Amino acid sequence: MSAVELTVTDLAVARGGVAVLEGLGFRLKAGQVLVLRGPNGSGKTTLLRTLAGLQPPMAGEISLPPEAIAYGAHADGLKGTLTVAENLAFWARIHGTHEIEPALADFNLQALRNRAAHSLSAGQKRRLGLARLLVTGRPIWLLDEPTVSLDQASVALFATAVRAHVAGGGAALIATHIDLGLDADIFDVGPFKADPQAPSRTPSAFDEAFA
């Protein structure tokens, strides 16, 4: 995995055409975990969506190599009629990789490999959704509350996967309210809250086009 870096400079992001965060600046380096903190509704999801390219920023710059991002949102992104193994194989082919066995093992999915995704429990679906990260080959993980629906043992599996990812030269930006036991830096979005009464810095509400 080649070393990559995500650099954010004077970034402003919007939800529904209204600025929620502005003046953001940080650097995420290879081998680093950065945890986003802030109260519900503070703009963490909007920031992650913007960094993932799902909506344009209102202002500022996002610098990173192409094809570097793997985004894990609230939805697990699964095909319900496909089995666990077929789901992973599908995403592996999409990203030009082929090996799914390590992902099955790392998220304790071997015994479920032939189960249809629609028959899984919420926690099992979440584990499968997170296992998709391992088959993308992407070095920068952007994760929005990744431990929702996970029990304590599964949270530990996820934390182990993140540690292995960054040890191999990857990086992770994670919005979470829980302590994952990771060696991580904290980035609080609170100080960057935008003034909702300020004039819009963009001519349209295109930021919701992909919602």
Side-chain angles (χ1 to χ4, degrees):
M1 182 183 296
S2 59
V4 297
E5 184 172 284
L6 167 65
T7 304
V8 173
T9 306
D10 195 26
L11 189 69
V13 300
R15 182 172 56 240
V18 177
V20 290
L21 295 171
E22 60 185 3
L24 283 160
F26 61 86
R27 179 176 296 170
L28 178 67
K29 300 176 291 186
Q32 182 184 15
V33 178
L34 186 61
V35 172
L36 288 180
R37 289 283 165 79
N40 291 336
S42 60
K44 299 186 298 296
T45 293
T46 302
L47 173 59
L48 289 172
R49 283 174 51 82
T50 303
L51 296 176
L54 297 179
Q55 62 184 63
M58 296 184 74
E61 296 183 2
I62 301 169
S63 176
L64 76 163
E67 306 297 321
I69 294 292
Y71 176 50
H74 294 162
D76 294 315
L78 307 178
K79 304 289 185 180
T81 58
L82 298 183
T83 67
V84 166
E86 289 169 341
N87 266 282
L88 289 178
F90 170 80
W91 287 107
R93 288 194 299 271
I94 289 292
H95 292 282
T97 62
H98 304 284
E99 183 59 69
I100 68 168
E101 295 305 321
L104 288 168
D106 287 354
F107 282 92
N108 194 24
L109 294 167
Q110 302 100 316
L112 301 171
R113 63 182 303 131
N114 296 319
R115 287 268 300 274
H118 69 76
S119 70
L120 301 176
S121 70
Q124 291 166 343
K125 288 178 181 177
R126 174 55 55 158
R127 277 191 281 136
L128 177 54
L130 293 172
R132 291 190 305 124
L133 297 167
L134 302 183
V135 304
T136 64
R138 299 289 178 86
I140 299 177
W141 292 357
L142 305 180
L143 306 175
D144 194 358
E145 298 294 345
T147 60
V148 171
S149 300
L150 293 184
D151 58 21
Q152 186 173 359
S154 297
V155 170
L157 290 176
F158 166 70
T160 297
V162 173
R163 291 190 191 97
H165 178 65
V166 298
L173 179 62
I174 308 173
T176 181
H177 292 287
I178 72 170
D179 182 1
L180 297 170
L182 298 170
D183 181 11
D185 299 305
I186 305 297
F187 186 82
D188 187 352
V189 302
F192 303 96
K193 182 178 180 180
D195 179 0
Q197 304 303 318
S200 173
R201 298 165 75 178
T202 57
S204 70
F206 181 69
D207 59 290
E208 294 299 321
F210 297 101

